[in-house]
Amino acid sequence: WRQGLAEVPWPQTRLVDIGSELSALPWWLAMRGARVTLIERSADFTGHWDFVRRRLGVAVDWRIVDTADLPLPPRSVDVVTSLSVLEHQPDKARAVDEMARVLRPGGLLALSCDICEPGYGMSYPAWGGAALDRRGFDALLLRHPDLEPRHDLAWNAEDIESFLAWHRQTAPHHTYVTAAVVLRRLPGGWRSLRRRRARAHARFLGGD
């Protein structure tokens, strides 16, 4: 994240962090000057957040919501972070649409999530939600009509076996891998419309 978000001017930035719990990232960015809103479905962490906010003296607030819908106006946020949350969200498409909706044009979505590819011998615990595979990740994020990758992307499949071998040693249920991406919010005009038309054309031709 220090590389993918290195160019962000944090003192002028409004950031929303999805599924914050005890993540250190939004607090670290708040210490760099960002105005941060934490999003969580449970109020269990608010006492801890209030304590940390007072100790650090940073601009952090929070919203407690139990759906993927974000209680924020459209195009009101500069950066959205979502780290290892998407696999736990039942309506993943709605969750990504909401992240895109609240981002201003040119704003950034920094997202990571679990990836499970049975062909590599991976499995995912039922209590953990539902992990995407690479095809689902591409369809949901890389082909989203309002988002585009900041850089050319390719799956580093050559690292899957070694990462999976290491991950299995960290916890018994870590029988999967992870993916991360930084995406830019497109303007809501012709570029977004062109991508929607391209996707519709591909479906008409029987493509992905």
Side-chain angles (χ1 to χ4, degrees), residues 165-177:
W166 166 80
H167 205 208
R168 283 172 169 155
Q169 297 177 36
T170 61
H173 66 277
H174 285 171
T175 53
Y176 49 87
V177 295

Side-chain angles (χ1 to χ4, degrees), residues 3 7 30 36 39 48 50 54 64 79 88 103 111-112 117 121 132 135 173 177-178 183 190 198 207:
Q3 297 178 18
E7 301 174 3
V36 175
I39 302 291
H48 173 78
D50 186 59
R54 286 185 282 106
I64 304 301
V79 176
H88 305 299
L103 278 171
L111 181 143
S112 69
E117 290 280 357
L132 295 169
R135 184 183 180 93
H173 66 277
V177 295
T178 61
L183 303 168
W190 67 272

Side-chain angles (χ1 to χ4, degrees), residues 50-123:
D50 186 59
F51 171 79
V52 175
R53 180 174 61 181
R54 286 185 282 106
R55 290 293 298 268
L56 296 180
V58 290
V60 175
D61 61 18
W62 45 83
R63 305 285 190 277
I64 304 301
V65 294
D66 59 1
T67 70
D69 295 342
L70 299 176
L72 300 164
R75 303 186 178 200
S76 61
V77 175
D78 301 300
V79 176
V80 172
T81 52
S82 174
L83 310 184
S84 296
V85 176
L86 190 61
E87 58 268 24
H88 305 299
Q89 295 181 287
D91 192 342
K92 294 173 174 48
R94 179 67 176 178
V96 175
D97 285 346
E98 278 291 280
M99 296 177 208
R101 179 186 66 82
V102 301
L103 278 171
R104 64 168 179 78
L108 300 178
L109 168 59
L111 181 143
S112 69
C113 67
D114 295 336
I115 298 291
C116 183
E117 290 280 357
Y120 283 85
M122 300 181 199
S123 60

Side-chain angles (χ1 to χ4, degrees), residues 24 26 31-32 43 61 68 71 117 123 126 135 137 145 155 194 202 205:
M31 292 175 66
R32 301 188 68 185
D61 61 18
E117 290 280 357
S123 60
R135 184 183 180 93
F137 185 94
W155 286 96
R194 185 178 65 178
L205 296 177

